Amino acid sequence: MSEEQQAPAIEVNDLTVAYREKPVLWDVDMEVPAGVIMAIVGPNGAGKSTLIKAMLGLVRAAAGQVLIHGRPYDQQRQLVAYVPQRGSVDWDFPTSVLDVVMMGCYGALGWLRRPGKKERAAALAALEQVGMQDFAERQISQLSGGQQQRVFLARALVQSARLYLMDEPFQGVDAKTERAIVEVLRRLRAEGKTVVCVHHDLETVPEYFDWVFLLNVRRIAAGRVGEVFTEENLRLTYGGRVPLLQRGGGGAVVGAGR
Amino acid sequence: MSAVVPLLDFLGDYTLRTVALGAAALGTVSGALGSYAVLRKRSLLGDAISHAALPGIALAFLLTGSKATLVLLAGAAAAGWLGTLLVMRIVGTTRVKEDSALGIVLSVFFGLGLVLLTHIQKLPDASQAGLDRFLFGQAATLLHRDVVMIAGLGAVALLVAMLFWKEFKLLSFDPDFGASLGFPMRAVDVVLTSVLVLSIVIGLQTVGVVLMSAMVVAPAAAARQWTDRMGGMVALAGAFGALAGVSGSVLSSLTARLPTGPTIVLCLTAVVLVSLALAPNRGLVWEWVRDQRSRRALQTDAVLSDLRALARQHDSLDHGHSIKVLEAMRFGRGGARSTLETLAERGWARRTGADEWSITPAGLAEAERRAPGKDEEERP
């Protein structure tokens, strides 16, 4: 991998976010090299989604700085694609799959201009990448959870960004969708792009990701999965109760990713 | 004057034409823009805005002494906006939830409006100010220049909605994603709320502050029943709004002293009821038919598999089984007879006696096709 030669995809310095008096993120530093697939892992309420939202400016930070490929987010917006949690929208909204995917073009279109043939073609191509091309004209309420997730992924692919921030893309999806997503993530990495996912399922971390960021309000550890994803770090992150990996035995939980 | 003008005179009647045009314009605009309120699950915002407009109307009159519609509606718009702003502030700065904030603003503003209206009616020189028409609406008071104004302001509101079509769609469907694309969603929200205020204010004289929210919510709710596309919903809601607006205000201006707001709302109710019941896919009738169909399919499945189990048990296709046995096999399931008749029509079962049935070879094959290998676990 060539990440050492480039500016990091993400550089977060001293990020602090608080709701009312309660800190959600405390003094978090993060550096994501370009061209990796990184998982943000931590217990519920650890601030995982907030970290992504703060990078995107959706949540106001009390302090701290975020650089995307070396410059502030405001100047690099077109390099970043965001995949929100599937449950954050109303899937009974009166619109078609193709229409949702075309929303990914809205940023490039700018104000007032409507999507046309070019955007339609791009949206169809993105749907094909996630295996949903036959669903283009479907009403979105007819989709299963996994299909919804793939539509959201396609919407981000349309943006042809360099950095993808995804909030729990694997949450509650079927096996087919999980495979499709993993395939897309690997293809993105092969193209030199960077993916950061909030992730819940500890067991699949070594298989799907090559970098991991352990978070519980503060940064616990970050780095290559093979070096950082250890039982001790997980215990530090989850406060002693690591639900899934205990049976693995002592020492490093996993070998080196791939 | 007789209470009912003969229908033939309708098209020639200047007042009626004015009223119908005005109502069509306001119905179209409030229906179309109301779609956004409904899609954003902010249906009650329309209620708060229209009630909050009342003190604005009264204050505009007190301050300027003018009864010109434009002046009064400017006051209404300002107060409606202030009310909306207050709701947002309350939600943003306190722990009061949105529904409570809407309730508070709505009742406080409306109460204030009523107090001001009473005060105005006691003024010596303002006894026939006629501001109380803004409570329940009086279509007959619409003048030609009011209609021109309604149409003009309404056209502005619709034009803005068309220009910002995709921005409004982002705001309604996924505002966080919109913000991540670089659109200032708060500003988009302000624009959308402004045109919503505009669309409500132009209807106040005809429909009244009390029931104006129905013009915002009901056409959109009805339209959603018929279409799965946002464009279709907005257009259809506009059409429903116009339909109810015209029929309601014409009915009320044909009848002396019948307030327009309630009449329009009754017309709207009819549209909503028909839509809830009859719309394809989402309609209740449709749902009932689908329900019945799937219930029948399940029952066919069940009886067929029971017949197969019985045939296996007796090792014979000729042995007949009484309906009572079949009904007892799954308790609570009546109507085995009609299901058996359906099966017989398809050649999957046959009658072997007065009340006895058995499965046919074709039925056996069909049962195997539907549930391969399931017969081993079948209950006797």
Side-chain angles (χ1 to χ4, degrees), chain B residues 78-167:
Chain B
W81 234 119
L82 187 69
T84 315
L85 216 62
L86 259 176
V87 171
M88 290 176 181
R89 292 293 296 183
I90 292 174
V91 174
T93 55
T94 71
R95 289 176 191 235
V96 176
K97 298 281 178 282
E98 189 170 8
D99 56 336
S100 315
L102 284 168
I104 294 166
V105 167
L106 182 154
S107 43
V108 167
F109 274 64
F110 188 57
L112 187 64
L114 288 179
V115 169
L116 288 172
L117 271 192
T118 318
H119 171 70
I120 288 171
Q121 268 163 355
K122 283 181 188 151
L123 292 179
D125 56 336
S127 49
Q128 63 273 66
L131 290 190
D132 52 343
R133 71 174 188 271
F134 281 101
L135 272 180
F136 295 108
Q138 197 67 54
T141 63
L142 277 185
L143 302 174
H144 180 71
R145 60 166 190 272
D146 295 335
V147 173
V148 170
M149 199 194 60
I150 289 175
L153 291 176
V156 170
L158 287 181
L159 189 70
V160 171
M162 267 159 63
L163 280 177
F164 292 103
W165 181 260
K166 73 178 195 303
E167 288 78 9

Side-chain angles (χ1 to χ4, degrees), chain A residues 111-188:
Chain A
W111 292 96
L112 307 183
R113 275 171 58 209
R114 301 280 186 94
K117 269 197 191 126
K118 196 178 124 214
E119 285 73 25
R120 214 183 137 81
L124 282 170
L127 277 173
E128 198 164 344
Q129 283 195 56
V130 298
M132 291 282 293
Q133 63 276 21
D134 297 336
F135 292 79
E137 294 304 326
R138 285 282 181 91
Q139 151 69 12
I140 57 171
S141 62
Q142 296 168 9
L143 302 178
S144 72
Q147 290 166 340
Q148 292 172 354
Q149 190 64 58
R150 280 186 274 159
V151 168
F152 261 16
L153 191 58
R155 184 176 69 171
L157 291 176
V158 164
Q159 292 178 253
S160 28
R162 277 174 71 185
L163 169 64
Y164 290 80
L165 301 178
M166 308 189 181
D167 204 341
E168 306 218 17
F170 295 102
Q171 178 69 41
V173 301
D174 52 288
K176 186 182 173 202
T177 299
E178 190 148 340
R179 275 197 307 278
I181 298 176
V182 169
E183 198 182 301
V184 168
L185 299 192
R186 292 191 174 147
R187 197 180 315 139
L188 289 172

Side-chain angles (χ1 to χ4, degrees), chain A residues 217-230:
Chain A
V217 183
R218 296 156 192 270
R219 165 198 170 124
I220 308 295
R224 287 177 201 279
V225 170
E227 294 159 11
V228 175
F229 199 61
T230 61

Side-chain angles (χ1 to χ4, degrees), chain A residues 20-21 53 56 58 73 77 80 82 84 88-96 99-100 103-104 106-107 109-115 137-142 152 155 159, chain B residues 39-41 91-95 161-170 172-177 179-184 186-188 224 227-231 233 282:
Chain A
R20 300 195 190 278
E21 301 90 55
K53 287 186 175 173
L56 291 163
L58 299 176
Y73 171 68
R77 212 185 274 282
V80 184
Y82 172 47
S88 65
V89 304
D90 171 17
W91 288 95
D92 196 33
F93 198 87
T95 191
S96 69
D99 220 35
V100 171
M103 287 179 188
Y106 285 9
L109 281 170
W111 292 96
L112 307 183
R113 275 171 58 209
R114 301 280 186 94
E137 294 304 326
R138 285 282 181 91
Q139 151 69 12
I140 57 171
S141 62
Q142 296 168 9
F152 261 16
R155 184 176 69 171
Q159 292 178 253
Chain B
L39 287 176
R40 299 181 69 200
K41 303 183 173 46
V91 174
T93 55
T94 71
R95 289 176 191 235
M162 267 159 63
L163 280 177
F164 292 103
W165 181 260
K166 73 178 195 303
E167 288 78 9
F168 284 0
K169 186 189 272 189
L170 271 181
S172 310
F173 179 65
D174 196 348
D176 270 2
F177 182 73
S180 84
L181 292 177
F183 291 101
R186 197 174 286 243
V188 176
R224 180 66 186 93
T227 173
D228 273 339
R229 294 293 180 269
M230 202 173 106
M233 179 174 168
R282 297 174 83 94

